[in-house]
Amino acid sequence: MSVLTKQAPGAAAALATAGGGKPRRGSSRRTNQRSGYLFLLPWFLGMLFTIIPFFASLYLAFTDYNLFTEPNFVGLANFQAMFEDPRLLQSLKVTFVYTFVSVPISLAVALLIALVLNRGLQGLAIYRSVYYLPSLLGGSVAIVMLWRYIFGNDGIVNGFLGIFGIQGPAWVTDPEFALSTLIVLNVWTFGSPMVIFLAGLRQVPSMYYEAASIDGASRWRQFRSITLPLISPIIFFNLIMQLIGSFQTFTQGYVMSGGTGGPADSTLFYNLYLYQKGFTEFEMGYASAMAWLLLMIIAIFTAINFIASKFWVFYDN
Amino acid sequence: MKKTASTPIPRRIILGAAVTAAGLALSGCAGASSPSSGGNVELNFVYWGDSNRAKMTDAAIKTFEEKNPGITVKSEYQDSGPYADKLATRFAGGNPPDVLNMANRSLLEYAQRGTLADLKSLPEIKLDNIPATIQSRGEVDGKLYGLATGVNLIGMVVNKTITDQAGVAIPDDKTWSWEDYAKFATEVTQKTGGKIYGAGYDVATETGPILFARQRGEDFYTKDNKLGVSEETIREWFQYSVDLRNAGGYPPAGFFEQIGGSPAQSYLAKGTVASQIIPINNFRGYNEAAGGNLVLLRMPGETTEKRRGYSADPSMLWSVAAKSKHPKEAAKLVNFLINDVDGAAETLTQRGVPINPEVADAIMPKLGTDDTKFVEMVAAIQEDDLPPAYVYPKGASVVADTLKQLATEVEFGRVSPADAAKTFLEKSNAAINK
C-alpha cells in the first residue's frame, strides 16, 4: 500500500493536485479523483432520491392522484379545497401552538443549562451526555411510548400528584392536555441546541468578562451586554433549526395518538394530517399540495427571521 | 467500479459502495415476487396481526408448501395501522403482494380501482362450500374481490369473579336489553364501592354502532354502499354511554388509554372493569389474561329491539392482487386458506370461524374449551334469521376516524350527543363515495 492510501481522500486528492506532473503521481491522481467521485456517489444517489420525489410532488399537487389510478390534472383545486377543510385549519393550529410555545421555552432552557455547564463543572462530559441523550431519542417511538406511560392515568406524574392528594388530569386522553404533554416532551429534548450553545459560549473571549469585572459589572449585566450579543448568531441558528424541525413534527403525534391525531384532533399535527390524507384517505394529490403549503410556510417564517435578525443578531468581526 | 477494484486504494470504498448498492437494491425490491429459475414460484403473502397469529400462519404455510411443491411462500406481517399504509404504498409503487389481507373498510376502495383480481375467475378457488351470504361480503359489482378469513362477531364478556364477589347476578343474555346491561353495570360499580366499573366497552369503534343500528332496523352501511344510519341512532349510541357514565356504571372521561390493544393490556385483565365488548374470537385470550373466569354473552338488545344486530360479519378478507405475476399459484394459496382442513388445523379460529362449514366441523375437536364456546356461539347465532350486511363504502376509514374523534368530544362533554350525531352524519356523508 502506498502512503496515500492511508490518508483521507480529500487530503489525498489535495496532495495529488499539488504534486501533479510526474507520471506516477498522475496515475494516482486519476485514481484519487475516481475514489473522490466514488465517495460522492452516495450523495448523488441520495440527491436523486430527493430531487425526483421533489418534482413529482410538485406535479402531483396539481392532480387528483389517488395512489392507484393515473393522476388527472386538476389545476389549483387542491389548494382551493384547503381553505374549506376544517381539519387542515385544526392541524395548522396544533402545529403553530406547538411551535410557538415549545421553541422559545426549549431554547431558553437549553441556554440556561448551557450557561450552567459552561462554568467548568466537574464531570462536564457526563452532564453533557445526560442532557443530550433525550435529543437523540426525542423523536423516537420508544420515547413517545415511554412518555405515554409517564403521563398515563396510572403513570409517575399522576402518582406523584396523588401524594399531595391531587387528582391529576388525563394528560394523554383529554383533548385539553394532550398537546401540552407533547410540548413538555419537546422541551425536554433541548439537548441539541444546548450543545451548540455550549460551543458558542466557549468562543466568547474571557478577556471581555475580565474587563467587565474590573469595571464592576454584575453577572447579569455581563450576561446581557457580553454573552447575549456575542452568541446572538448561535441563538439565531438554533431558532431557525428548531422552528423548521418543529413545523415538521410527526412522530410524536403519530405515536401518542396511535396515528389518529386524537384525542379529538388535539394532536393532529400538520404532517400527521398530510400523512393521513395521503395514505389512509388515498388523496395523494391533496397531500402533495399540503406539503408545498408547508414548504411555503417554513420559507416565510425563515425569511421573516432573517429580516428580523438584522436588528438583533450581532456579528463580531 | 471493477476498474478501481484493481488499484490498492479503494477496497473499503468498494465495500461501502457495494453495501450502499445492496441497500438500495434491497429497499427497492423488498417483497417483490419474482419468478426464480428452476420453475419454483415465490409468492408474497402479507397480513396483519401479532406474533401469535404469525406462528400459526407459518405452520399452515409450511403445510401448503409441502402440498404444493414448486411454490414457496414469503410472508410478512404487521400491526393493522402500518399494514394498511404499507399496502397502499406497495400498490401505488406497482409492487403489490400476491395474496393479501384486506380490511372490510378498504375492500371497495381497492376493488373499484382495479387493483384486485376477481376470485371467481380463478378456477383454483373452490367456492362450492362457501355460503352465499358470506361470499356477498366480498362482492363488488357482481365480482368477488375478497373472501372472508372467517366469521367473527362481537360479544360481551363479564368477569364472574368480580360479579360473584359483588353479589351481582349476570342477566340472561338471550333476553337482556341495553337497559338491563346499564342496570347491571351500575350495580357492579355501586357494590364494589366504585373500585371496579361495571361497563368498559369502547364507544368509538364502529362495530358497536353497526350492531346497534341493525337492532334499530337501520343498516349502518346500505346495500348501495351509502351511510344508512340515522342521526337519531348515533345520538342514542352516544347518549347511552353518557347516561351510563353519569349513573356510575361507566368509567369517567379520560379513563381509557389505548396503550396497546392486547388482552393482557386490557382493563378487563387489570380488573378495573367487570365487562367489555370484544371480538369474540379473542375470548380465549381475554379469559386467560383475566384469570379464567370470564363468561361469554350475546350483545344486549338482541331480542328486545326491532331486529337482530348480528349478521354474518367477516373479520377480514383474503384478496389476490390483479397484477400478481402468479395468479394461479396465488389462487391455490387462497383456496388452501379457506378450504384445506390440514391448514385450518394449524390456524384454528385465529381469524374467526372458518367459512367452509366442513372445515369448521373438522377443526372442532382440536379446539380448547374457550374456543369451542366461541365457535358454538357463532354457530348458534348463525342459525337464526339474521339481517343482511353489506360491503363498506369508499371513505369508510374517514367514517371510522370521525366516530373516534366525536366519541372523545362527547366523552369530555365538549359536544352534546345531539350535536355530535349531526356532525357525524355531515362529515361521513361528505367523505363517502366522493
Side-chain angles (χ1 to χ4, degrees), chain A residues 87 90 93-94 172-176 178 257 260-268, chain B residues 401-412 414-415 427:
Chain A
R87 289 193 86 202
Q90 169 68 12
K93 193 183 130 196
V94 168
V172 179
T173 48
D174 189 334
E176 303 284 337
S257 68
T260 62
D265 281 354
S266 60
T267 62
L268 186 72
Chain B
D401 288 347
T402 307
L403 185 72
K404 210 162 253 161
Q405 194 185 323
L406 289 167
T408 314
E409 302 265 16
V410 170
E411 184 182 359
F412 284 93
R414 290 153 54 115
V415 175
K427 284 194 177 178

Side-chain angles (χ1 to χ4, degrees), chain A residues 112-143:
Chain A
L112 190 75
I113 304 285
L115 284 168
V116 172
L117 290 186
N118 193 38
R119 316 239 335 239
L121 285 178
Q122 267 195 339
L124 178 65
I126 296 171
Y127 282 109
R128 221 162 31 198
S129 315
V130 166
Y131 286 119
Y132 188 54
L133 205 60
S135 304
L136 291 175
L137 305 169
S140 80
V141 172
I143 288 295

Side-chain angles (χ1 to χ4, degrees), chain A residues 48-82:
Chain A
L48 216 60
F49 283 103
T50 308
I51 285 172
I52 294 174
F54 183 83
F55 285 106
S57 98
L58 180 60
Y59 166 66
L60 291 174
F62 297 97
T63 68
D64 64 352
Y65 185 48
N66 65 16
L67 285 177
F68 302 113
T69 49
E70 288 301 307
N72 300 308
F73 192 78
V74 294
L76 289 170
N78 287 326
F79 292 94
Q80 279 162 357
M82 282 183 196

Side-chain angles (χ1 to χ4, degrees), chain B residues 19-33:
Chain B
V19 169
T20 313
L24 291 171
L26 271 179
S27 61
C29 305
S33 56

